[in-house]
Amino acid sequence: MDSDQIVEIIIAEIRETVPELAEQAIGRDDSMADLGVDSIERSEIILAAMEQLGLKIPMVQLHGPRNIGELADLLLAKSSG
Amino acid sequence: MNRPVGIEAMNVFGGMAYLDVRELCDHRGLDMPRFENLLMQEKTVALPYEDPVTFAVNAAKPVVDSLTAEERGRIEMVVTCTESGIDFGKSLSTYLHRYLDLPSNCRLFEIKQACYSGSAGLQMAVNFVLSQTSPGGKALVVTTDISRFALADANAVQEWAYSEPSSGAGAVAMLVSDTPHILQIDPGAYGNHAFEVMDTCRPGPDTEAGDADLSLMAYLDCCAGAYDDYARRVDGVDFRDTFSQLCFHTPFGGMVKGAHRHLMRKLYKAKPAEIAEDFETRLGPSLAYGKRVGNTAGGSVFVALAGTIDAIDLSEPQRIGLFSYGSGCCSEFFSGVVGPDGAERLKSMGISKALDDRYRLSIADYEKLLSGDAVVRFGTKDAELDHDIIPGAWPVAGKGDRLVLDTVAGYHRNYIWV
């Protein structure tokens, strides 16, 4: 699993959670807030990604990333360590 | 051993004026494409002559008035639970003691832990009753919080963003004793989850700050953690079956929905349709009053409880699971049983009617209040309140049973009944 694969997982979860974004081009430099994903939806997306990665850590440890790529990097770091 | 303990009487006070939240969001140009998901409708706005004391006293007065002189004489502790204090030393409870005319052999103090304060106060009172150091003694626990968005310049408005529509005001009074007509607490059935985090705070007398994402994450961590701790203490508990209703701390309904979904997925890998149905059944009723007053901080979980009791069929006793969260952070999951008697007693308080009777502020009224000139700031030495600031909001046909702030003289707040 590398960061780009986690980006794909996150993007798939974004499209699942916010159907309005199904057709929208989304990349690792985008921030979920700028895409119009609200804070409740953001938490759902992060929880779903954690579930897929089998990651069991407090959510507050995933606070801080400014875009999808940074979130993927952090999820990767937490998964491997 | 299993001596009854819990809430004997209860009332919610949602203030004298409110604002339509959708109207506010439109006015602010907040882009909320899925506004309905947030489950917000109205928010109580404290008028300049309403402060944490008036909210608390107005909530507690009907509760205290319904007691006999002998019963009132057994109120031996007044715990005010708030993050909206008006003095670093003198507690709000002292003002409550005066305006509710309580006995002098009474413990008076105030406690703080953001929105968790009400549950902390309730548990202190419950343990006072369980300890039997004063058999038959009662404790009055009152949560009271107001949000003030004063000093409204463009930058401040920008910074408030989504906290402005969700922040409300309100007070909940609970008389705790060994005759728990409203809610019989399950003694020893509770779970805590706490850790240090800087999610939201009130760093200055009239300021609030915070990070909505971090706060939501801490809330979700706590909801799961507190329930796990409850399950560790209580044999055979099942989140889906044990509690016929649930009441969560409600910053806004959408957050409760998120926490419920998190638990249902974590505990049962439940599918969206089942989660949505369970939310409607077990948490829908709890939003009845919260969506009308906004986030009432320390009282929010009890505003939810009152909404549930008033909204559901209670011909049979029901076990209710309660989750309280306070930023910073501390949380608790606990439970109790409410029955037909409790439903009838709570209805006699007329909470819904009082909310209906509030004055609806126009955006112009609200902006006038926001300009802040009329607000009594923390540390004010002398002031005279303008009771005509919003003419329509003043209770011209009052029955002398509602407290408002009149003057401040040498830091001492003077209130009048209108």
Side-chain angles (χ1 to χ4, degrees):
Chain A
M1 184 75 66
D2 63 27
S3 177
D4 286 337
Q5 287 170 296
I6 299 178
V7 165
E8 289 311 312
I9 290 174
I10 296 168
I11 292 172
E13 290 300 340
I14 291 173
R15 298 192 200 282
E16 173 86 26
T17 307
V18 188
E20 291 92 327
L21 294 175
E23 305 298 323
Q24 173 118 7
I26 305 173
R28 63 180 300 134
D29 293 333
D30 290 314
S31 90
M32 288 197 272
D34 290 346
L35 290 168
V37 181
D38 71 34
S39 63
I40 304 287
E41 292 162 341
R42 292 200 288 277
S43 71
E44 268 176 58
I45 290 159
I46 295 171
L47 282 167
M50 286 168 71
E51 216 172 277
Q52 289 214 31
L53 296 168
L55 186 58
K56 288 185 177 152
I57 56 166
M59 277 200 85
V60 292
Q61 292 187 16
L62 296 174
H63 179 257
R66 287 160 300 180
N67 58 38
I68 294 167
E70 287 184 15
L71 175 61
D73 291 345
L74 184 57
L75 282 166
L76 181 64
K78 295 286 180 189
S79 299
S80 46
Chain B
M1 173 61 203
N2 275 339
R3 190 180 291 277
V5 64
I7 303 172
E8 173 181 328
M10 179 180 187
N11 186 37
V12 174
F13 180 69
M16 295 164 73
Y18 76 96
L19 187 67
D20 184 274
V21 171
R22 170 55 74 88
E23 203 180 334
L24 173 66
C25 290
D26 289 346
H27 176 66
R28 288 276 182 255
L30 286 175
D31 178 30
M32 299 172 107
R34 293 171 296 283
F35 177 82
E36 302 304 328
N37 291 352
L38 302 176
L39 304 169
M40 302 191 282
Q41 285 174 4
E42 300 167 355
K43 61 175 248 161
T44 289
V45 178
L47 298 168
Y49 47 82
E50 293 186 288
D51 72 1
V53 173
T54 68
F55 269 91
V57 171
N58 289 326
K61 186 169 170 57
V63 169
V64 174
D65 283 354
S66 68
L67 302 175
T68 63
E70 192 187 341
E71 288 168 333
R72 180 189 293 221
R74 292 311 312 270
I75 297 177
E76 297 174 4
M77 186 158 95
V78 179
V79 189
T80 317
C81 315
T82 187
E83 55 179 304
S84 317
I86 56 172
D87 190 284
F88 287 126
K90 179 179 167 66
S91 82
L92 290 170
S93 292
T94 58
Y95 282 111
L96 269 65
H97 187 268
R98 167 187 286 259
Y99 289 98
L100 295 169
D101 196 18
L102 297 175
S104 53
N105 61 323
C106 202
R107 280 187 188 133
L108 305 177
F109 60 98
E110 179 180 312
I111 58 170
K112 165 178 75 185
Q113 179 33 58
C115 303
Y116 172 69
S117 67
S119 297
L122 175 65
Q123 294 292 21
M124 294 308 101
V126 162
N127 285 304
F128 162 68
V129 173
L130 285 175
S131 75
Q132 288 293 298
T133 49
S134 180
K138 300 177 194 292
L140 180 64
V141 177
V142 188
T143 74
T144 181
D145 273 303
I146 60 175
S147 47
R148 286 219 197 273
F149 289 92
L151 288 173
D153 58 40
N155 279 342
V157 170
Q158 191 79 33
E159 208 170 285
W160 302 337
Y162 298 94
S163 69
E164 188 190 13
S166 62
S167 301
V172 181
M174 296 176 281
L175 188 65
V176 176
S177 74
D178 57 5
T179 51
H181 302 301
I182 302 278
L183 181 80
Q184 178 159 354
I185 294 278
D186 298 324
Y190 66 94
N192 291 112
H193 193 75
F195 55 95
E196 198 281 321
V197 63
M198 196 62 176
D199 56 341
T200 69
C201 60
R202 292 191 173 189
D206 297 301
T207 53
E208 302 185 23
D211 180 320
D213 278 274
L214 184 57
S215 195
L216 175 58
M217 287 172 159
Y219 182 95
L220 294 172
D221 284 338
C222 279
C223 189
Y227 179 73
D228 281 350
D229 192 43
Y230 180 98
R232 182 181 65 81
R233 290 179 192 275
V234 183
D235 281 343
V237 64
D238 184 306
F239 180 73
R240 253 189 311 206
D241 302 331
T242 303
F243 315 102
S244 52
Q245 291 290 317
L246 296 163
C247 297
F248 283 14
H249 166 53
T250 311
F252 54 92
M255 199 146 155
V256 176
K257 210 170 188 172
H260 170 261
R261 186 189 299 110
H262 177 41
L263 276 181
M264 291 294 284
R265 283 183 67 140
K266 179 174 174 287
L267 296 170
Y268 308 105
K269 300 199 185 312
K271 296 281 175 278
E274 184 198 348
I275 294 172
E277 194 189 333
D278 188 62
F279 180 82
E280 277 313 308
T281 309
R282 293 200 298 158
L283 277 154
S286 77
L287 305 179
Y289 296 145
K291 67 186 171 196
R292 302 192 60 190
V293 294
N295 185 3
T296 47
S300 156
V301 66
F302 304 108
V303 168
L305 175 64
T308 296
I309 294 174
D310 274 350
I312 64 168
D313 171 19
L314 273 163
S315 46
E316 297 290 327
Q318 314 258 7
R319 173 158 282 109
I320 298 184
L322 299 106
F323 170 65
S324 174
Y325 170 82
S327 288
C329 67
C330 182
S331 70
E332 184 151 340
F333 192 98
F334 59 107
S335 62
V337 176
V338 59
D341 179 34
E344 205 159 296
R345 283 169 185 263
L346 191 66
K347 281 211 168 62
S348 74
M349 291 291 160
I351 296 169
S352 182
K353 169 78 166 57
L355 293 177
D356 292 345
D357 290 346
R358 290 172 304 168
Y359 173 77
R360 180 173 175 165
L361 294 167
S362 66
I363 290 291
D365 290 334
Y366 178 66
E367 292 283 353
K368 184 176 178 185
L369 294 175
L370 275 190
S371 69
D373 301 340
V375 170
V376 176
R377 294 190 183 287
F378 192 95
T380 296
K381 189 173 182 186
D382 297 293
E384 193 162 330
L385 278 293
D386 175 8
H387 293 151
D388 294 324
I389 183 162
I390 307 288
W394 184 255
V396 278
K399 300 191 292 281
D401 57 359
R402 186 157 289 179
L403 198 69
V404 296
L405 181 58
D406 189 37
T407 60
V408 183
Y411 303 111
H412 195 198
R413 297 190 179 210
N414 299 298
Y415 299 88
I416 52 170
W417 294 101
V418 295

